[in-house]
Structures are given as structure tokens and as C-alpha cells.
Amino acid sequence: MADLLEYQCPCCAGKVEFDPNSQQMKCPYCESEFTVEALQAANESEEPSGDQLNWETPGSDWSDGETDGMQVYTCKSCGGQIIADQTTGASACPYCDNPIVMTGQFSGDLRPDFVIPFKLDKEAAKKALLQHFEGKKFVPKVFKDDHHIDEIKGVYVPVWLFDAQAEGQFSYHAEKVRRWSDDRFNYKEISHFKVTRRGKIAFEQVPVDGSSKMDDTLMESIEPFDFKGAVPFQTPYLSGYLADKYDVTAEQSIDHANERIRQSVADEMRKTVIGYDTVQTEHSGIQLDNAKAKYALYPVWLLNISWNGEKFTFAMNGQTGRFVGNLPLDKGAAVKSFCITALIAAVIVFILLYLFNR
Amino acid sequence: MVTNILIAIVAGIIIAAIITGIQVSALKSVSERHEASDYVKQGSLNLSEKQDVFLYKKTERSERQQN
């Protein structure tokens, strides 16, 4: 016996049958009628297809003599390894502020493909730090007067850059609402729609922090970096700055890049669903392919300030000047300000109520 | 009189909480990014399928209050 094709009613999920009188599909339970096309669209099941991740390996080998001037410095406290030229004046670890010592000639590892050179110098970084403090309340006075700002360091942070071609399929349930009234009633009419979108979007140079010591969240906070400012890597760019060695491989960084790309694919597709009052995503599937990873060094100005047993790190995008860093809260000052504000506000409200009720 | 004092105190606390809350949140500037919108290649969005299908409509009504 042949299998009967069953269609579900989008309204009440009952089994819909063809009604010869109306020549349309009709649900015997809720009496809704649909065209064949509408019912087929509503009943299409989307199986989100799997991802195809095909990342090519980045970086290249160093040529002879290129690494001659580069030394590895090791931090005795956090174990971090920094690369700098022999003339670097740096003596403190940019991540934990403890002393670093030269432990040997740099060799091996991957040679970066690109570098975004520093566009903003140390003076600009110091100015940005002071501006960051301005206008902020409840920062302990001692913290603001601290004279560590000279220790701000320029560090090249290793990043993995992912290119990707993404393909997404989305289906949504959307509604349009119409309201009107007559003498007796208020009316509300809701029209329901099944919306599908399928398309491709390309992504370029999505950066993922390749150093475990550089906090990922801090690095993301100073984005975006503009890849148009990148140049093919040459060792002289490192001179006068520190460079961090990568220690998080490209494969480990992929997951986070994936999540960000997926979210943006969903956002871009959602933007094409217009003209509705409410939209809900029902099914989604995203496949990423033709992905390429590159290895680059991105410029960051870093400063650590320790206060009250806690470490506060400030970072500035060395290309765009974007400055971030969480500031400590002086709880006492905050509570005092809260009480004074509450008192003044209460007095003002009381006076207004008195005048209003006269 | 007493009611006015109570209202003033509650209002004062709420206003102070909002103002202090804004000032404290200004101290935080570090946050994770969950999207990659800065890295979308301009003009690369290419839709191969775009379907908006009408399914059904439902109308509700409620009686207006007769004065």
C-alpha cells in the first residue's frame, strides 16, 4: 500500500486534507484553508547541513639570517616568552610586570605573514591613558596619581586571521499586525508568514588572539583592526617593540572565530527580513568553507597597574587608538555619593510635591 | 505630609540608584565580541533564495468600553 502524504496544519498541527469544494487544502479541526504552495512551504523540514571546515595552514618558514637580531626573553614569574631585538630597553614583562631576562637567540616557530605597524607612538598612548581616566567617578585617587604610565609598552600580539565563505539557510515565522476599531469593537488581525532565506556571505581577516597571555576579551575590546594598514612582515618592524610568541594554535582558535562568524551570518540574513511586526527564527544552518588562516602581528600598547592586590590591564589599539581598560571602584566613594544624591533628589521631589499640592 | 516624605525618599533612592549605576558602569570598557560584523566583505551578501509565503490570518476583537 502506498504511503499517504501527510501535511500538518500550521495553525493547529492537525492533518490537513484537500477540500474539493474550495479546491484548497483545508484543516477539518480549525477550518483554516491554505493554498497547496503555502502548505508545502510550511511543511518543508530544514535539516541544517553540517559544517565543512577546511582551514589551510598559515605562516611560513624564516629565511637564513632573518632572525639574527632577535632574542627571546623569558619572564621568571609567568613563564611568558617575548621576542625583542638585542637593543630593547624593556626589562619588565608586559603582561605581569615582573622582570624578564634574555634567554637565548630566537629561532624556529612560524614566520608571520603580515604585520600592522604601530601608527600611534608612546606619547599618544600616554595621552589616551590620561583621557581614559578623565570624567570617571569613584576611581581611587591614588590610582589616578600613579606614575607608572611611563611603563606603557608597545607589543606586537600574534593573531590568527580567518577568511571564510559562509552559506546560510534560515527560516522564520513572521507576523504582520493590523488594528482598527468601530463603535463597538477593537479589532486585531494577525497575518502569519513563512519566510525563508538562503545565501552566501564572505568574511575577511576575522582576528583571533594567538597568545594565551594576552586576554582574549581585552584584545576583542580594542577591535576592529583595519587590515588595509597591514604590510608583508619584515623583521625591522619589530625594532623598539616587543613581540609575543604565539602559543595558541590556529586549530584551537577556530571555535571562537566560528561563533562570531555564525552570529554575523544570522544577523545579516535577519536584516533582509523586513516589513513585519514580529520575526522569530525557526531553523538555521550555516556552512563555512574555503577558509584560509593567516598569521599576523597586530600592534597593542599595554600597561599593567597593580592596586589593592588586584591587577588592572589597559590596552590601546596601536593602529586606531581605541583605548580600553576596566577601572577599579572605590566602594566608599560610591556609597557616599549615592547617599548625597539620594538626599538632594528627595529634597527636590519633596519641594515639588509640596508646591504641586498647594 | 507623611505620604509626601515617603514618596520623596523612595523617589530619591531610585534617582540616586540610576545616576550612581550609570557612573559605575562607565568604569567598565572591556567586553567580549560575539559577532564579526566588522569583517564582512562589503557587498558579498548574495541571496540565492528569498521566499515570503503567506500562511493564514486570525482576527480577534474585544468590546470597547461604552461610556
Side-chain angles (χ1 to χ4, degrees):
Chain A
M1 179 136 122
D3 287 325
L4 291 173
L5 203 56
E6 273 194 28
Y7 281 105
Q8 229 183 27
C9 172
C11 238
C12 72
K15 195 177 114 190
V16 177
E17 292 162 352
F18 183 70
D19 176 37
N21 293 325
S22 61
Q23 289 292 300
Q24 296 222 334
M25 303 298 285
K26 185 165 174 177
C27 174
Y29 305 100
C30 69
E31 307 267 297
S32 306
E33 283 182 12
F34 309 94
T35 61
V36 175
E37 289 76 25
L39 200 56
Q40 272 178 332
N43 271 254
E44 251 167 28
S45 72
E46 289 83 9
E47 299 289 333
S49 337
D51 287 335
Q52 271 137 31
L53 301 178
N54 187 11
W55 308 98
E56 294 169 23
T57 46
S60 58
D61 293 323
W62 297 93
S63 51
D64 287 336
E66 245 192 317
T67 57
D68 283 351
M70 290 160 67
Q71 302 291 329
V72 179
Y73 293 78
T74 306
C75 174
K76 294 286 184 198
S77 174
C78 69
Q81 290 189 310
I82 311 286
I83 301 158
D85 62 22
Q86 284 152 324
T87 61
T88 185
S91 57
C93 175
Y95 297 104
C96 71
D97 245 0
N98 286 295
I100 50 173
V101 289
M102 192 157 80
T103 48
Q105 182 68 38
F106 171 75
S107 67
D109 286 333
L110 283 179
R111 181 182 189 275
D113 298 307
F114 296 98
V115 60
I116 294 182
F118 274 87
K119 288 260 175 327
L120 296 157
D121 62 10
K122 194 168 180 178
E123 284 311 307
K126 279 157 66 172
K127 209 168 124 184
L129 177 69
L130 291 170
Q131 256 175 348
H132 190 66
F133 288 151
E134 255 172 59
K136 302 273 180 7
K137 299 257 187 277
F138 316 137
V139 178
K141 219 171 170 302
V142 168
F143 195 90
K144 272 185 178 179
D145 294 338
D146 198 88
H147 290 301
H148 279 173
I149 65 169
D150 261 329
E151 291 169 19
I152 200 164
K153 291 175 194 58
V155 181
Y156 279 111
V157 178
V159 289
W160 301 109
L161 302 177
F162 294 98
D163 287 354
Q165 182 76 267
E167 182 163 352
Q169 311 87 39
F170 292 81
S171 70
Y172 310 89
H173 185 97
E175 292 173 3
K176 275 193 210 176
V177 179
R178 190 164 74 99
R179 293 175 205 270
W180 70 97
S181 306
D182 58 28
D183 288 336
R184 285 184 62 201
F185 297 101
N186 290 327
Y187 296 90
K188 179 173 158 184
E189 178 195 84
I190 305 178
S191 300
H192 296 256
F193 295 81
K194 170 95 180 270
V195 177
T196 49
R197 296 283 186 270
R198 179 193 284 264
K200 291 191 169 127
I201 309 178
F203 290 82
E204 295 178 312
Q205 292 100 35
V206 180
V208 177
D209 180 2
S211 160
S212 60
K213 286 187 323 304
M214 179 69 188
D215 181 52
D216 287 357
T217 310
L218 189 65
M219 193 66 184
E220 279 176 17
S221 299
I222 57 174
E223 279 184 35
F225 286 88
D226 186 1
F227 192 73
K228 288 195 207 64
V231 295
F233 176 79
Q234 301 286 335
T235 29
Y237 284 114
L238 292 185
S239 180
Y241 299 102
L242 304 176
D244 201 358
K245 278 175 70 172
Y246 82 88
D247 57 6
V248 178
T249 63
E251 287 77 30
Q252 287 169 318
S253 312
I254 277 170
D255 288 341
H256 190 53
N258 267 357
E259 278 167 30
R260 292 179 63 181
I261 289 172
R262 279 173 191 285
Q263 185 59 51
S264 281
V265 173
D267 291 343
E268 292 295 311
M269 286 293 190
R270 176 64 184 80
K271 279 189 209 162
T272 67
V273 182
I274 47 181
Y276 299 99
D277 294 297
T278 60
V279 178
Q280 269 173 314
T281 309
E282 282 186 337
H283 294 285
S284 68
I286 303 172
Q287 299 85 47
L288 305 174
D289 50 39
N290 291 337
K292 273 189 305 185
K294 292 191 271 272
Y295 173 32
L297 297 179
Y298 274 5
V300 181
W301 286 103
L302 276 181
L303 178 66
N304 288 299
I305 298 182
S306 296
W307 179 79
N308 224 26
E310 269 186 85
K311 189 182 76 158
F312 295 88
T313 308
F314 300 92
M316 182 171 97
N317 183 319
Q319 180 192 35
T320 65
R322 187 180 162 100
F323 196 101
V324 300
N326 290 338
L327 291 161
L329 172 68
D330 182 347
K331 289 207 176 98
V335 168
K336 202 165 111 180
S337 168
F338 173 82
C339 292
I340 294 173
T341 312
L343 189 63
I344 295 172
V347 166
I348 293 173
V349 170
F350 183 75
I351 292 172
L352 287 171
L353 285 170
Y354 177 72
L355 292 172
F356 189 71
N357 287 330
R358 264 175 72 171
Chain B
M1 173 78 166
V2 177
T3 331
N4 278 359
I5 293 175
L6 284 171
I7 296 174
I9 290 174
V10 170
I13 290 174
I14 293 172
I15 292 169
I18 293 171
I19 293 175
T20 311
I22 293 171
Q23 288 170 327
V24 169
S25 66
L27 296 178
K28 291 253 179 296
S29 48
V30 177
S31 58
E32 210 180 41
R33 278 190 194 229
H34 299 285
E35 39 63 44
S37 54
D38 293 310
Y39 307 102
V40 175
K41 192 167 171 186
Q42 289 297 328
S44 67
L45 174 58
N46 190 351
L47 285 179
S48 55
E49 187 185 306
K50 189 176 173 188
Q51 251 194 356
D52 291 51
V53 177
F54 170 74
L55 293 175
Y56 61 92
K57 62 173 132 178
K58 274 208 155 107
T59 309
E60 300 164 358
R61 69 178 189 192
S62 53
E63 244 185 278
R64 294 181 70 171
Q65 270 197 330
Q66 305 293 341
N67 287 336

